[in-house]
């Protein structure tokens, strides 16, 4: 079994030195990405405002009058810092993930490395899919829902207008992006657990009712307190749960085929020994 590991056992001090190297690369990549994103923070924030403009169009309002405000002198500055941190983390994530893999890989067998690497690639892709769904659909939908609650001035009525703060709008879109991005990791997590034998497709099917309830509970906790965003997160979660069941079933079939192949190989060896 020891022949499956390419790297020789290392003392603790070498593991700590390796960990320090990987941390330095990860922190350095994030810092460089943060600086670049901070330089273009206003442009990045303007890009994040596009869903709000689309919501204004959906609500049949004047786009030229759509605006965001800040009520504290330092608010927009710290908002730009948060935008730079958010963008820096997204840009540096491939490098950070690669450093994590390089640190963990020497302790894995060859077959474990081959099984782990596809998930390392699939995870950021699924996160970007969730973030894209938020950017192009759910954020405009949520903002449209809030915009429809405005009240025009009339006889006996006062004007009630939505004037979002830059910090609160950024907090909303970041919360939605991270919520959907994490939920879209469900197939990856369940497939990994199925590979190590901690989950089965039958168990996932039995717990489907509880999963549906938990999906709505998690959506209520992670999203703003409006039904549109809560349902919008719960439904993809349920769909992803069904995909996770199918992925676990595929893993079980692959394990069964591998076991059958190994059994056939053992029987062939036994026949050869008998001859």
């Amino acid at each position: 079994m020891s022949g499956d590991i390419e790297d020789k056992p290392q003392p603790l001090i070498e593991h700590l030195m390796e960990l320090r190297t990987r941390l330095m690369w990860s922190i350095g990549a994030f810092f460089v990405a943060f600086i670049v994103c901070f330089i273009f923070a206003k442009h990045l924030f303007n890009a994040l405002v596009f869903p709000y403009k689309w919501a204004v169009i959906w609500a049949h309002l004047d786009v030229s009058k759509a605006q965001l405000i800040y009520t504290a002198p330092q608010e927009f500055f710290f908002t730009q810092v948060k935008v730079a941190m958010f963008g820096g983390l997204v840009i540096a994530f491939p490098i950070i993930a690669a450093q994590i893999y390089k640190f963990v890989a020497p302790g894995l067998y060859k077959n474990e490395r081959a099984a782990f690497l596809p998930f390392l690639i699939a995870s950021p892709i699924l996160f970007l899919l969730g973030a894209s769904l938020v950017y192009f659909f759910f954020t405009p939908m949520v903002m449209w829902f809030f915009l429809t609650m405005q009240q025009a001035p009339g006889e006996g009525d006062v004007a009630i207008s939505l004037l979002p703060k830059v910090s609160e709008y950024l907090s909303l879109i970041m919360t939605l992006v991270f919520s959907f991005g994490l939920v879209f990791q469900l197939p990856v997590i369940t497939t990994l657990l199925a590979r190590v034998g901690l989950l089965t497709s039958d168990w996932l099917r039995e717990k489907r009712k509880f999963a549906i309830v938990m999906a709505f509970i998690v959506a209520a906790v992670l999203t703003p307190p409006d039904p549109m965003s809560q349902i919008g997160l719960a439904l993809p979660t349920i769909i992803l749960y069904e995909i996770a069941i199918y992925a676990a079933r595929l893993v079980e079939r692959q394990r069964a085929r591998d076991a059958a192949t190994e059994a056939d190989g053992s029987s062939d060896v036994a026949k050869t020994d008998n001859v």
Side-chain angles (χ1 to χ4, degrees):
M1 182 178 296
S2 60
D4 290 338
I5 302 180
E6 296 180 355
D7 299 273
K8 297 180 180 179
Q10 298 177 348
L12 178 61
I13 186 65
E14 293 188 13
H15 283 294
L16 294 177
M17 292 176 63
E18 179 71 11
L19 177 61
R20 183 189 64 179
T21 301
R22 301 306 170 194
L23 286 175
M24 289 177 63
W25 274 100
S26 300
I27 295 174
F30 171 74
F31 182 74
V32 172
F34 169 79
I35 294 298
V36 174
C37 289
F38 185 75
I39 294 174
F40 299 97
K42 286 188 177 180
H43 300 283
L44 292 175
F45 187 81
N46 287 330
L48 293 176
V49 174
F50 281 127
Y52 176 52
K53 293 182 178 179
W54 297 334
V56 172
I57 296 174
W58 293 359
H60 303 289
L61 301 174
D62 188 358
V63 181
S64 62
K65 295 182 179 179
Q67 60 178 328
L68 300 175
I69 65 171
Y70 62 97
T71 57
Q74 74 280 6
E75 181 178 346
F76 189 47
F77 170 77
F78 285 112
T79 300
Q80 294 181 67
V81 173
K82 292 179 182 179
V83 169
M85 293 179 64
F86 179 70
L89 183 61
V90 171
I91 294 174
F93 179 78
I95 298 177
I96 296 174
Q99 296 305 312
I100 294 174
Y101 177 75
K102 288 181 180 180
F103 179 74
V104 176
L108 301 176
Y109 297 106
K110 290 182 180 179
N111 60 336
E112 292 174 338
R113 296 183 190 181
F116 183 74
L117 189 58
F119 297 106
L120 193 64
I121 298 173
S123 182
I125 293 176
L126 289 174
F127 187 91
L128 289 176
L129 286 176
S132 300
L133 189 63
V134 169
Y135 185 84
F136 292 104
F137 181 69
F138 281 105
T139 299
M141 183 182 65
V142 170
M143 294 307 298
W144 169 82
F145 175 79
F146 292 148
L147 285 168
T148 57
M149 301 178 67
Q150 294 184 119
Q151 178 175 286
E155 186 177 352
D157 296 327
V158 296
I160 301 177
S161 301
L162 174 64
L163 293 176
K165 296 175 61 178
V166 292
S167 58
E168 293 175 351
Y169 176 80
L170 179 65
S171 177
L172 171 65
I173 195 169
M174 287 178 60
T175 299
L176 290 174
V177 166
F178 280 115
S179 299
F180 277 75
L182 292 176
V183 167
F184 270 64
Q185 304 304 310
L186 185 60
V188 173
I189 296 173
T190 53
T191 306
L192 284 173
L193 293 176
R195 276 187 173 273
V196 299
L198 296 178
L199 284 180
T200 63
S201 59
D202 292 334
W203 186 87
L204 290 173
R205 282 195 297 268
E206 292 175 359
K207 305 300 181 182
R208 181 184 282 115
K209 295 180 180 179
F210 300 100
I212 293 174
V213 175
M214 285 299 300
F216 282 95
I217 293 176
V218 172
V221 173
L222 295 179
T223 60
D226 68 278
M228 302 288 288
S229 57
Q230 292 175 5
I231 296 174
L233 179 58
L235 290 181
T237 304
I238 296 171
I239 295 173
L240 289 169
Y241 187 84
E242 297 298 327
I243 295 175
I245 295 175
Y246 179 73
R249 189 182 301 118
L250 292 179
V251 170
E252 291 169 356
R253 291 175 181 174
Q254 183 62 42
R255 291 173 62 184
R257 286 194 294 267
D258 294 342
T261 303
E262 185 177 353
D264 292 340
S266 300
S267 62
D268 292 340
V269 171
K271 291 179 181 179
T272 303
D273 294 339
N274 291 332
V275 173

